[in-house]
Amino acid sequence: MTSPDLRARPANRIPAVLCGVFVAFFLIQILTFDYGRDQGIYAVVARSILEGGMPYRDAWDFKPPGIFVLYAIARLFFGANDWGIRLLECLFLVAMCICIVRWAKKVFLPQLSGYFAIALAILIHAQLDFWHTAQPESFGGALTIFGLCTAPLFATDDRSPSRPLLRWFVAGVFFGMAGLLKPQLAFGGGLLVMLPLAARLLGKKLPFLQAFAAPKDGPGEWKSLFATGLGTIAPVALCALWFAAKGSLQDLYEVLFVFTPNYTKLGWQGLSPLDLAYNGVVDWFTGYSALVPLGISLLLLFAHRLSSRERAAALAICLLIALHLAGVVAQAKFFAYHYGATWPLTALLVGLGIALLWEQAIKASRWWIAAFALIVPLICFTRSATKGVPQSFLARTSIRTQALLSGGLTPQIRDELASVDGVNAGANRQIAQFFQEIDSLSPGKPLRPIFIWGFEPIIYDWANRPASTRYIYNVPQRAAWLQQTMRDRLMADLAANPPEFIIIERHDPLPGVTGNYLDSGDALKDFPELRSLIEGHYKQAFTHEDFMVLHEAAPPVAAAKPSPKP
């Protein structure tokens, strides 16, 4: 067991301060992140919500509704910009870091466990870069930590925590809110509340489970389970009531329980459940940070020094991680952001392992401390969570830092950093500027809708033009399942609300989403109804990068064409 006198060592102060500075630096980096495709979708749906519309019915996507509400909150308080959601994301992360440090101090004896944990959690979050952050999992991870820290799992000084039923209820609310972002996260509260029951049933065989034992003067396991379940159901029920009041329950059902399961099945083709599980666990353990296998190995190495309370806490964290990974494996896509909710929990385990190593070092000699201070930071950057971008994490961080020190990121730098995986952020912005310029020629004139046949809905938002249809991108019409139904609805939308302009995108194949390698241009050839509408009522105005812009009558003035990129 760890010696209590190590908690007061002055040598702990410097690492704690450095971890805090480390976290602050990368939070500033996160504030500079722009939108990727997904963030553009969420922003356009959020815009629809604030205009009185509903997700799925008025602005279509297949993610759970919680992420749209968060983007709407950011837009409501911080305006229609790219940085509002990043500010809200950082507020969540700061609150999460405070909870991790406070919880770790109460549960783990090594004082630095929480500080090392937040440093790793924020490092991985920043390494995921713009595309894989501000995702449902990004916020779901913080809400999971809030639920874990609220749950009255451990008694203090042989006494029951105050108001345990209320705390179980609030913990359930946090997990329920996380479930509105990613369904599997909702079960975290139910998993935790079962641990006191496990302590009663298995405590004699597994003595460390007694740390979960419900105090004799407490409410009992079944009341706690009811309180947690009620809390978990509460936000889900409120969301269902919101959709019911707006007459959109059928739209929600069709997207989440009909379209999305077919999308999920794409990743199962040719792989057994065992293959998928292996891929998911190995990817989590080795694919994003070298500190993860190191820290967990250290935790196992020093396991004999852990108290029963610490072992019980580690078990609770492992169970939540397993729940998260089960959801990632079930999705079978293994996108980087799918692990986003798991890193704060993983960081708690890794932070404990590294803190145990630190205490071993300060008990040994200054040479051990020096070796720790040199080797551990180096290991941080031997494997990065940054994926799918042209530059390394250190290079992108250097570009952002130099730009901030020089007065801020220019639009050109921002667009270069946000142009990855077939997305040309500069071209998107220039197409949007085209509409801004022609709209500025007729101030006060009502803005007519436009229609994008492609996968860049952010143009709607940047151009400040309404969409002609609920389908803000064309995956539903390109996917094999429900294709004709979705096409019929699209054509009905376009007939009821004819677009002034149609923008056709090329070179945007999405086999992981649509199940085929056709881009939007190729998919149009197999969509005779839309092709007939375009050929009969629209003329080409101009082409720019991967976009062809068509106008319903005469082409707009040439002066309004977007200028080439510098």
Side-chain angles (χ1 to χ4, degrees):
M1 183 174 172
T2 309
S3 175
D5 64 342
L6 292 176
R7 296 173 65 92
R9 284 183 180 269
N12 285 339
R13 297 173 187 168
I14 294 176
V17 171
L18 289 177
C19 286
V21 172
F22 192 84
V23 166
F25 174 79
F26 283 111
L27 286 173
I28 293 172
Q29 293 284 314
I30 293 167
L31 283 172
T32 68
F33 290 176
D34 285 293
Y35 284 168
R37 273 190 179 133
D38 289 352
Q39 292 79 8
I41 293 169
Y42 309 148
V44 174
V45 179
R47 182 179 76 168
S48 176
I49 291 173
L50 294 180
E51 292 172 350
M54 288 297 291
Y56 317 124
R57 184 191 67 190
D58 301 301
W60 193 96
D61 187 39
F62 57 91
K63 294 291 177 67
I67 190 63
F68 310 129
V69 174
L70 287 172
Y71 271 71
I73 291 171
R75 195 179 186 94
L76 178 65
F77 285 100
F78 307 124
N81 50 63
D82 295 7
W83 57 263
I85 192 61
R86 299 301 178 179
L87 180 55
L88 183 63
E89 182 179 25
C90 285
L91 291 174
F92 266 71
L93 292 174
V94 168
M96 181 191 78
C97 288
I98 293 171
C99 288
I100 286 175
V101 169
R102 294 185 64 182
W103 190 82
K105 282 184 177 180
K106 291 179 181 179
V107 177
F108 298 140
L109 195 55
Q111 188 179 20
L112 289 178
S113 300
Y115 292 98
F116 288 138
I118 63 172
L120 176 62
I122 299 303
L123 172 64
I124 294 179
H125 195 96
Q127 286 179 337
L128 289 172
D129 218 286
F130 74 101
W131 192 291
H132 298 289
T133 50
Q135 292 276 3
E137 294 84 353
S138 309
F139 297 97
L143 288 167
T144 296
I145 293 295
F146 300 159
L148 173 65
C149 295
T150 304
L153 277 176
F154 304 105
T156 305
D157 298 328
D158 299 324
R159 293 177 299 171
S160 172
S162 60
R163 300 182 179 180
L165 285 181
L166 177 61
R167 290 182 60 179
W168 277 120
F169 174 80
V170 175
V173 170
F174 284 129
F175 284 110
M177 292 167 65
L180 291 174
L181 294 160
K182 214 67 181 178
Q184 70 267 20
L185 304 186
F187 298 99
L191 188 152
L192 292 180
V193 79
M194 295 300 291
L195 291 175
L197 182 60
R200 181 159 62 85
L201 298 176
L202 302 174
K204 292 182 179 179
K205 295 182 179 179
L206 301 172
F208 71 92
L209 288 178
Q210 290 297 333
F212 295 123
K216 294 181 180 179
D217 60 342
E221 294 94 347
W222 297 111
K223 288 184 179 180
S224 299
L225 180 61
F226 177 78
T228 307
L230 189 63
T232 302
I233 292 171
V236 178
L238 286 174
C239 181
L241 288 173
W242 175 42
F243 274 85
K246 292 283 191 173
S248 300
L249 268 180
Q250 179 60 33
D251 301 281
L252 180 145
Y253 172 82
E254 183 182 81
V255 169
L256 298 186
F257 296 97
V258 180
F259 184 92
T260 302
N262 283 282
Y263 161 72
T264 301
K265 289 177 184 177
L266 290 177
W268 299 350
Q269 297 174 2
L271 293 172
S272 70
L274 188 60
D275 292 330
L276 293 172
Y278 176 82
N279 291 341
V281 173
V282 170
D283 201 21
W284 160 75
F285 191 66
T286 65
Y288 291 84
S289 173
L291 282 179
V292 172
L294 172 66
I296 293 178
S297 298
L298 289 170
L299 185 58
L300 295 174
L301 178 66
F302 295 122
H304 63 282
R305 296 174 52 192
L306 298 177
S307 67
S308 295
R309 181 187 181 92
E310 289 170 320
R311 293 181 186 182
L315 172 64
I317 294 168
C318 287
L319 290 174
L320 289 173
I321 290 173
L323 176 67
H324 288 199
L325 292 180
V328 174
V329 169
Q331 286 181 271
K333 296 294 187 296
F334 305 113
F335 297 152
Y337 64 84
H338 285 171
Y339 297 94
T342 314
W343 297 126
L345 295 167
T346 305
L348 274 168
L349 296 180
V350 174
L352 177 58
I354 294 176
L356 289 167
L357 177 64
W358 170 255
E359 291 196 342
Q360 193 73 17
I362 61 177
K363 283 195 300 183
S365 69
R366 292 181 180 178
W367 290 107
W368 277 93
I369 294 175
F372 180 99
L374 177 65
I375 295 173
V376 172
L378 285 176
I379 292 175
C380 284
F381 299 101
T382 56
R383 183 176 295 277
S384 172
T386 305
K387 300 179 183 295
V389 293
Q391 305 101 331
S392 69
F393 169 68
L394 291 178
R396 294 172 72 83
T397 301
S398 176
I399 292 170
R400 289 187 171 107
T401 302
Q402 291 179 25
L404 288 172
L405 293 175
S406 302
L409 275 69
T410 63
Q412 181 180 353
I413 293 175
R414 300 182 77 102
D415 288 342
E416 288 176 357
L417 290 171
S419 296
V420 297
D421 199 22
V423 174
N424 187 331
N428 291 344
R429 199 174 301 277
Q430 288 154 9
I431 292 293
Q433 288 172 351
F434 159 74
F435 291 109
Q436 292 172 358
E437 289 174 14
I438 62 172
D439 292 341
S440 68
L441 299 176
S442 304
K445 181 180 178 181
L447 299 178
R448 291 191 56 197
I450 60 176
F451 169 56
I452 300 169
W453 177 251
F455 203 179
E456 298 298 344
I458 190 57
I459 294 173
Y460 289 117
D461 201 33
W462 286 349
N464 194 30
R465 280 285 190 118
S468 190
T469 171
R470 78 194 81 176
Y471 298 107
I472 56 176
Y473 60 95
N474 63 4
V475 164
Q477 289 77 34
R478 291 163 61 185
W481 59 96
L482 294 179
Q483 185 181 89
Q484 193 56 50
T485 298
M486 297 296 187
R487 289 184 172 187
D488 291 343
R489 291 177 183 173
L490 169 64
M491 296 310 298
D493 287 351
L494 296 178
N497 199 19
E500 181 181 9
F501 290 89
I502 293 178
I503 301 100
I504 300 174
E505 187 177 6
R506 294 297 305 268
H507 307 122
D508 61 342
L510 299 160
V513 180
T514 62
N516 60 65
Y517 288 86
L518 299 176
D519 69 3
S520 292
D522 292 331
L524 184 59
K525 298 174 184 177
D526 188 38
F527 191 172
E529 299 91 344
L530 179 58
R531 192 174 69 248
S532 175
L533 172 68
I534 291 172
E535 293 173 352
H537 297 85
Y538 291 84
K539 296 181 180 179
Q540 180 176 322
F542 64 89
T543 60
H544 182 68
E545 299 288 347
D546 289 335
F547 296 102
M548 177 189 297
V549 179
L550 303 105
H551 189 252
E552 64 178 346
V557 294
K561 288 176 58 177
S563 57
K565 292 193 301 181

